[in-house]
Amino acid sequence: MAVSDGLAIGALAQRTGLAVSAIRYYEAQGLISPWRNAGGQRRYQRADIRRLSFVMIAQQFGLTLPEIREVLSGLPGNRTPTPKDWQEISKGLRAHLDQRIDTLTRLRDNLDGCIGCGCLSLPKCALYNPDDRAKSNGSGPRYLMGDSPEA
Amino acid sequence: MAVSDGLAIGALAQRTGLAVSAIRYYEAQGLISPWRNAGGQRRYQRADIRRLSFVMIAQQFGLTLPEIREVLSGLPGNRTPTPKDWQEISKGLRAHLDQRIDTLTRLRDNLDGCIGCGCLSLPKCALYNPDDRAKSNGSGPRYLMGDSPEA
DNA sequence: CCTTGACCTAAAGTTAGGTTTAGAAATTAC
DNA sequence: GTAATTTCTAAACCTAACTTTAGGTCAAGG
């Protein structure tokens, strides 16, 4: 198979460390768009290795797949992304991460206060109803401290 | 219903802001153990309000329910936990949170490096295979950068 | 040519953390 | 004493992010 024919899904899986099934799933989610060869098999560009790597890194940072798709849409569609293109959209990740760290740090500081006062379970506790509550990752509780209880 | 009869599940739900179904679910997961009244209905101690509050806070910090159950097992079983008891087990949360902040901070710093060098997708990139990779929250990817790819 | 391994699709299964539903029994309110 | 709430259990359903399975096709080696 010549280089210009692109990578088969198994090869891409090896290069990225992802499972073949995961790559197909990402396609279904609109994160990557291979073409098909004469026999109907998926073929990928070498640049897709980088694309999937970005997906994996963004996941580590807590983005959902729809969010990642959104970020990736900032890449040029008409040409292979340059390193500069990648650096550009990585800045969005950086901001996202800064915010997460910020939120967690504030939660931690509130916990310090609560350890001091032992007020757990009271509505006046800063932890109990923080405005900047951590966005629940994935399928967390639906009603996480949503309504202000009376006591 | 006299005070000594305990709280009905709906009352506990109001006090904590949780859904009734969530409280029953937590019982199934071993996080809380009400007794039953003559009619077979669940009855809770007032201290359980605090217990559930702790559960909610620990969830914000990223602990899973099994982890929270583990932490709660550090409470005395033979008596109502004192504020001091709660402060004691809160220290574990603090450590957990510190570690999470640490991991994220290092990830962020690695990202900074990568923005500089544009090496995304290369195995030598510090982001690509960090030893301290963020624990996947909930039902994330199974093979998150698990095996070292060749290129 | 034939076999083996990689690939295809569609659908069902998995985990975490719950919610919803259905039908019945207990409690509370008037 | 009856009507309206609450609560009960068990089982099914939900989302995210995948994996597994089943049954069939494509591609590469000898």
Side-chain angles (χ1 to χ4, degrees), chain A residues 89-139:
Chain A
I89 70 169
S90 291
K91 284 185 191 156
L93 281 196
R94 161 79 204 222
H96 182 91
L97 194 50
D98 279 342
Q99 200 176 21
R100 283 233 299 169
I101 291 173
D102 225 61
T103 300
L104 284 178
T105 303
R106 269 185 294 178
L107 278 173
R108 181 189 58 192
D109 295 345
N110 282 339
L111 179 60
D112 282 349
C114 273
I115 286 179
C117 73
C119 68
L120 270 178
S121 94
L122 299 177
K124 44 184 77 123
C125 172
L127 274 180
Y128 192 77
N129 209 359
D131 284 346
D132 52 355
R133 77 185 61 120
K135 196 177 103 191
S136 76
N137 296 338
S139 52

Side-chain angles (χ1 to χ4, degrees), chain A residues 110 114 117-130 145 147-151, chain B residues 15-16 46-54 56-57 60 83 86:
Chain A
N110 282 339
C114 273
C117 73
C119 68
L120 270 178
S121 94
L122 299 177
K124 44 184 77 123
C125 172
L127 274 180
Y128 192 77
N129 209 359
M145 302 183 189
D147 306 309
S148 61
E150 294 143 16
Chain B
R15 297 311 189 99
T16 58
R46 290 190 59 78
D48 286 334
I49 299 173
R50 183 170 289 233
R51 191 179 180 91
L52 289 184
S53 298
F54 182 86
M56 289 186 281
I57 290 169
Q60 284 194 72
W86 287 113

Side-chain angles (χ1 to χ4, degrees), chain A residues 8-10 24 36 41-42 139-143:
Chain A
I9 195 169
R24 290 204 196 96
R36 301 298 181 117
Q41 296 192 357
R42 292 170 178 83
S139 52
R142 251 61 140 190
Y143 301 133

Side-chain angles (χ1 to χ4, degrees), chain B residues 57-127:
Chain B
I57 290 169
Q59 274 191 312
Q60 284 194 72
F61 289 0
L63 281 81
T64 64
L65 295 187
E67 284 167 346
I68 296 172
R69 179 178 50 200
E70 182 61 26
V71 173
L72 284 174
S73 74
L75 286 175
N78 48 341
R79 58 179 168 75
T80 300
T82 65
K84 196 157 192 134
D85 291 324
W86 287 113
Q87 291 172 37
E88 204 51 51
I89 70 169
S90 291
K91 284 183 190 158
L93 280 196
R94 161 79 204 223
H96 181 92
L97 195 50
D98 279 343
Q99 201 177 18
R100 281 234 300 169
I101 291 174
D102 224 62
T103 300
L104 284 178
T105 303
R106 270 185 294 179
L107 278 173
R108 180 189 58 191
D109 294 346
N110 283 338
L111 180 60
D112 281 349
C114 273
I115 288 178
C117 73
C119 69
L120 268 179
S121 94
L122 299 177
K124 44 184 77 122
C125 172
L127 273 180

